[in-house]
Amino acid sequence: MSGNAREQKADHIRHLLETEGDAVEANTLGFNDGRYESVADLEDYEGLKSEARAIKEDAIERLPALIDELTETVEANGGTVYIADDAADANRYIREVASEKEAERLVKSKSMTSEELEVNEALEADGVDVVETDLGEWVLQVADEAPSHIVAPAIHKSREEIARLFNEQFDPDEPLETAEELTMFARDRLGELIREADVGMTGANFITADSGSLMLVTSEGNARKSAVVPDTHVAVAGVEKIVPSVEDLAPFIELIGRSGTGQDITSYISLLTPPVDSPVVDIDDPDVAFADRDDDRDFHLVLIDNGRMAMREDDQLKETLYCIRCSACANTCGNFQSVGGHAFGGETYTGGIATGWEAGVHGQDSAAEFNDLCTGCSRCVEACPVEIDIPWINTVVRDRINRDGDAGRFEFVYDELVPDEEATGSIGLQKRLFGNYETLAKLGSATAPLSNWTAGLEPVRSLLERTAGIDRRRALPAFERETLVDWFEARGPRVSAADAEREAVLYPDTYTNYIDVDRGKAAVRVLEAMDVHVRIPAVSESGRAPLSQGMIATADAKASRVYAALAEHLDAGRDIVVIEPSDLAMFHREYEKLLPEASFERLRAGSYEVIEYVYGCLENGANGARLRTGDGGPAIAYHSHCQQRTMGVDRYTRAVFEALNYDVLESDVECCGMAGSFGYKQEYYELSMDVGDRLAEQFSAPEAKNRLVVASGTSCEDQLEDLLERDASHPVEVLDPRSRLR
């Protein structure tokens, strides 16, 4: 990405933060909080998710057969099925239906698939009046704007903005102000338009192959009116919406509302088997009894391929087809919570899963516009009701974008300066720099303190910003001349293997080894205080840095080197202890994609987050008397790392602090906004800080501002220091017997 492109992207994000950010934040946080509350009421939430995923896996695996079964069923019911190869094919067919009906007006319920097709524009070109009947979609139609959210398309608009829009466009007798007034006005106006419609169009959340039934999940009920009031109903749906049977709908009914908007069940769940038997509403002939009517209904099911069958054959994108478009991945994402889908989205789809959809149906160029907004934090994985590994899909697409890219004018230096596995010149300097951070750290450490002084010079910062997009407002980490590995080799262990209760290998992650060596030393002392024999071998970076930039081949090579270095210690029964949560997440999650299954399972079973390990030692009888306790120690304001939470190991830090009598105020803000290299990038710096403001506000409150700031992740520490202008420490530094932190 060129400097001009970075500046344009930064300007776009800044504009959205200023104009849409407050509304998006309030609404997505509300949805996300509601999700937590609602799913907590389920007896077996995880079981329901697994059941839903199994149904989708089976349906996609058997999709060609299910399409045939559904076609036969719908035709036996009296409807027509058309399978459209692409958007143009679908629009041609829908236009023909409208033409045959001599339709002057078509009313639509909310459908992201119809947005994908741009069917409104196609019909309007033929003179058909197309009316969105979903309130949010209608607001955007009046405003001539694109949706910014899969479920709540007008999430970026406040009530005040909508009132101003309606008052300007419709000039009502009395100005509209309240939400009730706006809703009643829209209901009355849309009701009139629906009554006079010639064709109704809906989407479908699910379609059952055995009965030809459509399940429509809505908040307003307009889908029912659109499907039933006119005599012609056109349903538009991607082929992935098909499930085998009506019985298969059960887990999705439980999950879709809870996941998307935090509702135990949405206001309307409609199960229609078109063409429906109910009589056509005839406003011009109201005196004829329904029993005396002999209506001829027409139903057309337009199934859309538009790249989906190719996605089904793509081992990496296939999982996207399991998506039920609930928006949980968007609502739980820190970046989306700040800017919404007008930044974090492509031609049609928004949020974390949008990368897979956009790459599959619109192409990689569309996905490339926003793909980097996914930082791989993995919060969306636990939120997804069908257990899609959304960060991995984003990483795969990023890798493909890289391979099709152009490195630009710095291509000539890559072969000599970067020891990665990527194709020469395929990746820009910014990603190449961050993806090879271990090499940079080695060089910086070997030349410290000169490297630190040089990096701080204004001309150097200006050059880094112009060429690599590293924002000059972000403080750069300072390298240590003596690495943790070198320090430990010179010092040696203080607990002999013969006298030790346990043996542990402390994994020297890049940041701990070359920059924050003190937290590594603290970890050694904490482990030795519990009679653990410690080893610190020289081991490669985990692959997290290149993976975050979409450099999968490089990450794969690093994963193999890490496992080769640690295998002998696993063979010897030693525990692998990891300070940085994002590296442990590599061992526990991403290595499943990068290592043979047996190697991955072995490393996952034998590796622990450092405070998780402290907890385990204490629970198994280790003497914690030599650890620093909260008695006379500092009061703490603590923020856990996002990947700690998704791995479920954050609870151990709370438990250890509690056991050692620390006074802890824990943040309920889920994301600090830094996300490794993301917060250093010029185009995303202001977004990073905006996401972090939520955390800064909490830690600046009277009850927190005088506490010691503690965070488990490297990025979290750096971000908190920049936001608060206060030092931040790792929990293991608090427990260090030699700690003087206050």
Side-chain angles (χ1 to χ4, degrees):
M1 183 184 295
S2 68
N4 286 338
R6 285 192 291 267
E7 290 176 7
Q8 289 173 7
K9 179 163 282 192
D11 288 343
H12 178 56
I13 288 173
R14 188 181 305 114
H15 172 73
L16 292 174
L17 289 172
E18 294 171 353
T19 58
E20 301 181 1
D22 290 344
V24 170
E25 178 181 2
N27 287 308
T28 51
L29 288 175
F31 288 158
N32 200 44
D33 290 344
R35 176 178 63 83
Y36 283 128
E37 294 175 9
S38 184
V39 301
D41 294 334
L42 292 171
E43 288 186 12
D44 188 11
Y45 175 47
E46 296 301 326
L48 274 174
K49 288 162 64 177
S50 296
E51 182 184 358
R53 181 183 175 90
I55 291 168
K56 290 294 288 185
E57 281 185 347
D58 173 64
I60 298 304
E61 189 65 30
R62 298 196 288 127
L63 189 54
L66 290 177
I67 292 173
D68 290 342
E69 181 184 352
L70 175 62
T71 300
E72 292 176 8
T73 304
V74 170
E75 290 176 348
N77 292 343
T80 302
V81 176
Y82 184 78
I83 302 172
D85 292 334
D86 54 26
D89 189 19
N91 288 337
R92 180 193 56 76
Y93 181 82
I94 295 166
R95 290 168 65 191
E96 287 178 359
V97 171
S99 176
E100 289 172 4
K101 295 297 178 180
E102 298 181 347
E104 295 180 3
R105 175 174 294 144
L106 179 146
V107 290
K108 286 179 63 213
S109 69
K110 182 181 176 302
S111 165
M112 289 306 298
T113 305
S114 71
E115 295 279 352
E116 175 188 325
L117 302 178
E118 297 184 342
V119 68
N120 290 24
E121 293 82 348
L123 288 166
E124 287 166 351
D126 290 343
V128 179
D129 178 24
V130 180
V131 179
E132 298 284 357
T133 65
D134 172 84
L135 178 56
E137 289 283 2
W138 189 56
V139 167
L140 297 183
Q141 188 176 34
V142 172
D144 193 24
E145 294 181 14
S148 63
H149 191 271
I150 288 178
V151 170
I155 198 172
H156 59 284
K157 285 196 167 296
S158 67
R159 175 183 56 80
E160 292 80 8
E161 288 178 280
I162 296 171
R164 187 162 54 249
L165 174 69
F166 280 12
N167 289 327
E168 290 174 356
Q169 291 291 323
F170 301 113
D171 191 23
D173 294 336
E174 295 292 333
L176 305 170
E177 294 182 5
T178 68
E180 183 178 3
E181 290 170 348
L182 292 167
T183 303
M184 292 298 293
F185 175 83
R187 187 179 73 171
D188 292 343
R189 193 170 185 90
L190 288 171
E192 295 174 6
L193 296 171
I194 291 171
R195 284 194 293 270
E196 298 169 359
D198 303 298
V199 177
M201 180 183 290
T202 70
N205 293 89
F206 303 95
I207 311 172
T208 60
D210 64 341
S211 65
S213 302
L214 312 180
M215 186 170 118
L216 300 170
V217 180
T218 65
S219 297
E220 299 159 23
N222 287 336
R224 293 180 182 178
K225 297 177 184 178
S226 298
V228 173
V229 172
D231 63 5
T232 302
H233 174 198
V234 178
V236 177
V239 291
E240 83 283 356
K241 298 295 186 73
I242 305 172
V243 296
S245 69
V246 173
E247 288 78 12
D248 290 323
L249 300 175
F252 300 106
I253 291 172
E254 292 279 11
L255 290 168
I256 193 167
R258 298 176 193 270
S259 300
T261 56
Q263 298 169 278
D264 292 348
I265 192 167
T266 50
S267 302
Y268 296 89
I269 293 182
S270 306
L271 196 62
L272 308 176
T273 305
V276 296
D277 294 330
S278 59
V280 174
V281 175
D282 190 344
I283 304 301
D284 297 327
D285 199 4
D287 296 329
V288 178
F290 284 158
D292 296 334
R293 296 183 65 89
D294 183 20
D295 294 314
D296 182 18
R297 285 190 172 274
D298 199 6
F299 173 63
H300 300 262
L301 174 59
V302 185
L303 293 174
I304 312 300
D305 179 353
N306 204 32
R308 287 163 174 79
M309 298 308 284
M311 292 168 69
R312 180 176 172 270
E313 300 301 319
D314 186 320
D315 289 341
Q316 305 298 343
L317 289 186
K318 181 179 182 179
E319 203 177 5
T320 305
L321 298 174
Y322 304 162
C323 171
I324 63 173
R325 301 189 186 171
C326 67
S327 77
C329 60
N331 298 335
T332 196
C333 172
N335 286 338
F336 192 96
Q337 288 168 358
S338 281
V339 293
H342 288 158
F344 203 149
E347 293 183 35
T348 304
Y349 297 101
T350 59
I353 195 63
T355 285
W357 280 119
E358 291 290 324
V361 304
H362 292 307
Q364 283 181 189
D365 287 347
S366 180
E369 290 299 313
F370 64 93
N371 171 261
D372 283 345
L373 284 169
C374 173
T375 62
C377 75
S378 72
R379 282 165 53 189
C380 55
V381 177
E382 65 174 2
C384 178
V386 284
E387 301 174 335
I388 300 173
D389 192 346
I390 296 169
W392 182 253
I393 292 172
N394 276 274
T395 300
V396 166
V397 173
R398 191 171 302 165
D399 181 78
R400 293 176 181 180
I401 293 167
N402 288 344
R403 293 179 184 280
D404 290 342
D406 179 10
R409 54 190 171 140
F410 297 98
E411 179 176 352
F412 70 97
V413 303
Y414 287 158
D415 277 347
E416 299 300 325
L417 297 183
V418 293
D420 59 43
E421 305 297 323
E422 308 306 311
T424 301
S426 64
I427 307 174
L429 178 60
Q430 185 188 74
K431 288 188 176 182
R432 209 92 191 218
L433 186 67
F434 286 119
N436 287 281
Y437 188 66
E438 182 182 27
T439 300
L440 182 64
K442 287 178 179 178
L443 179 62
S445 174
T447 57
L450 178 62
S451 58
N452 300 323
W453 176 80
T454 303
L457 296 174
E458 179 57 30
V460 174
R461 293 307 307 267
S462 177
L463 179 65
L464 284 172
E465 187 172 85
R466 289 199 315 274
T467 59
I470 299 175
D471 199 287
R472 71 179 75 190
R473 292 167 289 185
R474 179 71 72 179
L476 297 177
F479 299 107
E480 295 286 342
R481 184 62 175 258
E482 183 181 48
T483 68
L484 177 65
V485 171
D486 291 342
W487 170 81
F488 189 78
E489 184 177 358
R491 170 190 182 271
R494 298 297 166 86
V495 176
S496 69
D499 297 332
E501 292 292 327
R502 301 190 69 87
E503 284 193 79
V505 172
L506 184 64
Y507 174 69
D509 67 86
T510 299
Y511 197 88
T512 303
N513 193 36
Y514 296 105
I515 298 165
D516 195 355
V517 177
D518 285 343
R519 77 176 182 183
K521 295 176 181 178
V524 170
R525 291 190 289 265
V526 165
L527 295 175
E528 290 180 339
M530 297 184 298
D531 296 320
V532 175
H533 175 70
V534 179
R535 298 169 183 255
I536 307 183
V539 185
S540 172
E541 189 264 332
S542 70
R544 171 62 66 190
L547 196 71
S548 70
Q549 310 304 312
M551 298 163 59
I552 293 179
T554 303
D556 185 273
K558 286 182 177 290
S560 296
R561 289 198 288 270
V562 168
Y563 182 76
L566 296 179
E568 65 176 282
H569 300 290
L570 293 168
D571 290 341
R574 300 177 188 124
D575 303 315
I576 311 301
V577 178
V578 184
I579 296 174
E580 174 55 39
S582 61
D583 288 308
L584 185 69
M586 287 290 289
F587 295 176
H588 283 208
R589 283 181 43 82
E590 282 82 6
Y591 275 18
E592 183 176 14
K593 306 286 199 308
L594 305 176
L595 292 177
E597 182 179 0
S599 301
F600 162 68
E601 292 291 352
R602 196 158 170 248
L603 181 56
R604 180 170 67 171
S607 55
Y608 308 87
E609 191 263 341
V610 63
I611 305 300
E612 174 193 13
Y613 194 74
V614 170
Y615 173 87
C617 289
L618 294 175
E619 285 293 296
N620 285 280
N623 183 2
R626 284 178 286 176
L627 299 178
R628 190 186 188 200
T629 69
D631 300 324
I636 291 170
Y638 172 63
H639 176 69
S640 59
H641 188 275
C642 53
Q643 285 165 327
Q644 261 190 312
R645 296 192 193 97
T646 58
M647 290 185 290
V649 300
D650 56 316
R651 63 184 185 273
Y652 297 114
T653 303
R654 289 193 293 273
V656 168
F657 278 151
E658 182 178 341
L660 296 178
N661 298 321
Y662 281 93
D663 174 12
V664 180
L665 173 69
E666 185 171 4
S667 165
D668 59 9
V669 175
E670 293 185 305
C671 184
C672 74
M674 185 65 177
S677 63
F678 182 82
Y680 286 96
K681 295 179 178 180
Q682 179 187 8
E683 60 270 38
Y684 302 126
Y685 172 80
E686 288 173 58
L687 172 56
S688 170
M689 297 300 279
D690 185 81
V691 175
D693 280 344
R694 298 191 273 273
L695 179 58
E697 182 178 350
Q698 187 171 41
F699 277 5
S700 299
E703 64 271 21
K705 66 179 182 180
N706 294 321
R707 291 172 177 262
L708 175 69
V709 177
V710 178
S712 294
T714 297
S715 296
C716 308
E717 288 186 59
D718 289 346
Q719 179 79 322
L720 282 164
E721 289 182 347
D722 284 353
L723 287 165
L724 301 174
E725 297 182 351
R726 292 154 60 187
D727 289 338
S729 303
H730 190 280
V732 78
E733 295 178 276
V734 177
L735 305 181
D736 182 1
R738 291 173 54 180
S739 174
R740 296 293 181 267
L741 294 173
R742 292 289 176 187

